[in-house]
Amino acid sequence: MPDVSILLRAYRLMCQTRAMAALYEANRAVCKYVHSTSRGHEAIQLAAAFHLQPQDYVSPYYRDESMLQGLGFTPYEQMLQLLAKRDDIFTGGREYYSHPNYRGDDKSLIIHQSSATGMQAIPTTGIAQGIRFWEKSDPARIRRGANGEAPIVLCSMGDASVTEGEVSEAMQFAVLKQLPVIYLVQDNNWGISVSAGEARAMNAFEYVAGFKGMNRIQVDGSDFEASYNVMKEVCAFVRQERKPVLVHAETPLLGHHTSGVRKDFYRSQVDMDKHQLNDPIPKLRNRLIASGVSDGELDQIEKEAEAIVAIDFKRAIAAAEPDPATVSDHVFVPAGITEERGERSPANAEKVLMVDAALYAIRELMEDNPDMILYGQDVGKRLGGVFREAATLAEQFGEHRVFNTAIQEAYIVGSTIGLNAVGIKPVVEVQFADYIYPGFNQLVTEISKSCYLTMGKFPISMVLRVPIGAYGGGGPYHSGSVETTLLSVKGIKVVYPSNAADMKGLMKAAFHDGNPVVMLEHKGLYWSKVPGTEEAKMTEPSRDYIIPLGKAAIAVPADQQSIDNGETCLVITYGMGVYWAKAAVKKIPGRVEVIDLRTLYPLDEALIFERVRAHGKCLVLTEEQQYNSFAEALAGRIAYHCFTSLDAPVEVMGALNLPAVPMNTGLEKAMLPNAEKLEERLRKLLGE
């Protein structure tokens, strides 16, 4: 049984959270930002927090304010986030209340926490995946307690989150790999206005019975003593046995869903009265009185808690607001590579295919970086990627560093966040661009925002490889282009090499960049099998060759005399477009310059604008469907910045505005740009 001192500590913190909730409610005009409180959930949250140690990892969810206090965060620190103040230690005023992140030696590590329901399950399971990796390969890399205690990972969720598919992906991986993670599900039977009976066929405890290898236990989450004992048992089990556990804690919901969605909007008085009967605070008070603690002592604790909260609230209100000048800080960490170096075309080196250049770059990176791993669908030992882009890597580096995953794009993408938290640098692969969308939620909601919303504490260093593009009847689900979709996301970088040398140099730069980088790799250029793409095969650069992201290249120069005479135009393109342009300009020698963007974000605007001004006429060429595309956005930017230098409107050429690339090769050809279509457009632009 827990010592009375532990019960008193829990009671003191419960009184603080109750006083905080009351103060927020009484000062709604001041507490103007949407927030949730932990009223009703205090017991299980504190019980969990009391068993976490500094070497552990925890992902609280947005109702876990009591858990944060149990970890050692003060009401003042929490209130600074509530009021979005400058000195909010978590996000500097950028995030909602109870959305923490923390990196320090005195408390459990907390990665970026978003509001998206259940989305923390995958990144947090990724932490456990990373711990398991180090346990098998280099145990010295693991954070341990003062007495050598192993770390555990706790993922806290509300019951409504368990119906999310991404929670299932996380649990599937956890049981498959037997990871040291606890899924704490706090079940108050409400998901905003949706009752448990409306939303689910079973509770979380019943649901995970189907996950072979998942240990599970239920507890009355309103009873601190019972919760404390269960969490003590579970944490000790996971710390020792290194196996996953789900804890299903039933709790009342005593506060509003959030300050913006108030309980009286949708709940009956009967329901609210029923929940009130399980208030954890009176339950714990009665337990303390039964243990010999006097009413007077408990009353004094309540008064002291109210006083602390009132003082901290006054201080938080008076605290400084964020400086608007800092609003753009921390989108990215500074790029690791800022200049091109190494030999692009070493003497006596052989020419290599683009797919092999990628393979060799990954191989060299893995040789030099033992903290690098590669995983995705079919990249493992048996196949080495459906394009053989990872061939032999598992044999060389072992299946703990190069391995297959299930068809779980969300897990593949989102787990990289957790791996970063334990010092692992992942390169992952989505098999085709058309299938990036299941992973897009993690890319947008978690990865892209992590650096910005944690004030630079948790940048995500990862490379996401995406085979892309159409050629030769690949059909509607294996031929798509997705760059515009990706470029609509802020906080990621997008790279699109068109030849073997750039592939190797950009892959190295992407790995060392320190930020999330998506590598778009055109399938039609991998093997140079498409007629006219032979030049994608190039001399393999030296081992130390690297190209900074955001630097375009002139793929085909125009004749300077023709430029001076105003007889030229510029084509700006990337990927397969480079080869359509090269073929087209052979029919118009000296009069067309071609820029290969190489990186779509960051974009080399300096070179683009300089060359547009030199030529006065410009066409942006893309394989994507043209309407509302990145290419059209770029054309608009060029028109704005280079207006006085233009002799004609900026033109755009892309695929027809169809929902998919058709299977039939004749229909595919009709949809996509090609050299012949481009030549015709260029001759018109040049006035021929």
Side-chain angles (χ1 to χ4, degrees), residues 98 262 309 559:
S98 207
R262 301 176 67 76
V309 167
D559 178 72

Side-chain angles (χ1 to χ4, degrees), residues 588-642:
I588 318 172
R591 299 190 62 194
V592 181
E593 184 171 296
V594 179
I595 286 182
D596 180 355
L597 292 177
R598 304 198 295 191
T599 302
L600 307 186
Y601 191 86
L603 191 64
D604 192 349
E605 292 184 348
L607 180 64
I608 292 168
F609 297 160
E610 174 197 325
R611 301 317 298 161
V612 169
R613 292 177 180 123
H615 293 276
K617 293 179 284 292
C618 172
L619 182 146
V620 183
L621 173 64
T622 179
E623 183 175 326
E624 272 197 301
Q625 293 92 327
Q626 178 177 327
Y627 290 178
N628 302 317
S629 65
F630 157 70
E632 287 197 331
L634 177 55
R637 204 176 314 167
I638 291 168
Y640 178 82
H641 288 280
C642 304

Side-chain angles (χ1 to χ4, degrees), residues 1 4 16 129 142 144 244 283 316 475 486 500 577 618 634:
M1 305 298 284
V4 172
Q16 284 187 182
Q129 176 189 345
I142 297 172
R144 292 190 177 274
K283 282 188 175 184
L486 289 165
C618 172
L634 177 55

Side-chain angles (χ1 to χ4, degrees), residues 337-577:
I337 304 299
T338 57
E339 59 182 25
E340 185 172 356
R341 61 173 185 260
E343 288 189 76
R344 184 176 176 88
S345 301
N348 303 319
E350 295 183 358
K351 286 190 174 183
V352 295
L353 296 164
M354 263 187 70
V355 70
D356 288 334
L359 174 65
Y360 301 157
I362 295 291
R363 177 183 295 158
E364 291 170 359
L365 285 167
M366 295 194 77
E367 288 171 346
D368 295 341
N369 299 276
D371 56 352
M372 175 182 172
I373 63 174
L374 170 69
Y375 59 98
Q377 296 163 30
D378 298 304
V379 302
K381 190 173 182 179
R382 292 187 192 90
L383 185 60
V386 294
F387 300 101
R388 303 292 288 161
E389 72 281 3
T392 74
L393 293 177
E395 288 93 331
Q396 181 175 350
F397 298 105
E399 293 181 272
H400 66 299
R401 292 187 67 192
V402 181
F403 56 90
N404 291 329
T405 67
I407 303 172
Q408 294 182 330
E409 288 85 359
Y411 189 86
I412 292 167
V413 174
S415 56
T416 63
I417 303 166
L419 291 167
N420 267 255
V422 295
I424 295 171
K425 297 187 69 173
V427 175
V428 296
E429 181 176 315
V430 169
Q431 202 162 78
F432 292 92
D434 306 80
Y435 301 129
I436 197 172
Y437 298 103
F440 205 64
N441 200 0
Q442 289 289 324
L443 192 65
V444 175
T445 305
E446 308 296 333
I447 290 176
S448 70
K449 296 176 174 59
S450 183
C451 187
Y452 182 70
L453 293 180
T454 65
M455 305 291 282
K457 292 194 292 295
F458 288 96
I460 308 302
S461 179
M462 59 87 78
V463 179
L464 173 58
R465 299 182 65 184
V466 183
I468 192 171
Y471 74 102
Y477 291 99
H478 297 81
S479 306
S481 293
V482 298
E483 54 265 36
T484 294
T485 304
L486 289 165
L487 290 163
S488 69
V489 182
K490 315 311 171 191
I492 64 172
K493 299 184 179 183
V494 181
V495 177
Y496 204 142
S498 69
N499 59 67
D502 287 348
M503 173 69 87
K504 186 171 184 182
L506 291 168
M507 184 72 78
K508 295 282 185 84
F511 178 80
H512 290 296
D513 190 81
N515 296 290
V517 181
V518 180
M519 289 283 296
L520 300 178
E521 306 174 19
H522 200 291
K523 306 186 304 291
L525 301 179
Y526 264 159
W527 297 89
S528 289
K529 289 183 177 179
V530 176
T533 63
E534 295 80 9
E535 290 183 10
K537 183 178 181 180
M538 297 186 74
T539 301
E540 183 186 1
S542 62
R543 186 184 187 93
D544 62 345
Y545 181 65
I546 201 161
I547 303 169
L549 305 187
K551 295 294 183 182
I554 296 177
V556 179
D559 178 72
Q560 187 59 50
Q561 186 62 51
S562 297
I563 296 173
D564 294 341
N565 293 338
E567 301 170 345
T568 60
C569 68
L570 178 68
V571 174
I572 301 168
T573 189
Y574 53 94
M576 186 63 77

Side-chain angles (χ1 to χ4, degrees), residues 28 193 256 259-267 272:
R28 291 177 61 190
S193 68
H256 306 291
S259 58
V261 182
R262 301 176 67 76
K263 59 186 178 182
D264 44 295
F265 291 175
Y266 59 91
R267 294 174 66 185
M272 290 188 281

